[in-house]
Amino acid sequence: IHLFFSLHDYNHDGHLDGHELRIAFTEFETKEGKQITLAEVEKMVDDALNKDDTNGDGKIGWNEYLDSQ
């Protein structure tokens, strides 16, 4: 779990922001051989932030990520 989080925390600030989530979701879907639209990626990012960003700072911290698993 920590490996996935760390690999996608591109700026190494200990959080996953919308941009990092967008890249992670896009890479995952591309590796799975599926093509997804920008609108679908945006919805996935919005859904993840709405569900997992429990302190409302617009980012998912490690503890928030861990709690969501």
Side-chain angles (χ1 to χ4, degrees):
I1 292 175
H2 192 266
L3 179 62
F4 177 86
F5 185 90
S6 297
L7 285 174
H8 294 95
D9 180 17
Y10 295 106
N11 64 358
H12 307 288
D13 68 350
H15 298 85
L16 299 178
D17 60 28
H19 178 70
E20 291 165 327
L21 290 169
R22 179 184 58 79
I23 293 169
F25 290 140
T26 302
E27 286 177 352
F28 174 76
E29 293 299 328
T30 302
K31 287 179 184 174
E32 293 293 314
K34 302 173 189 173
Q35 292 294 341
I36 57 175
T37 66
L38 179 59
E40 290 172 316
V41 173
E42 289 174 349
K43 181 174 178 356
M44 291 168 68
V45 169
D46 289 344
D47 289 347
L49 288 172
N50 287 332
K51 179 181 152 222
D52 301 334
D53 176 24
T54 57
N55 68 2
D57 66 354
K59 305 178 273 188
I60 299 171
W62 169 245
N63 288 331
E64 292 171 315
Y65 181 77
L66 196 55
D67 289 344
S68 74
Q69 299 304 304

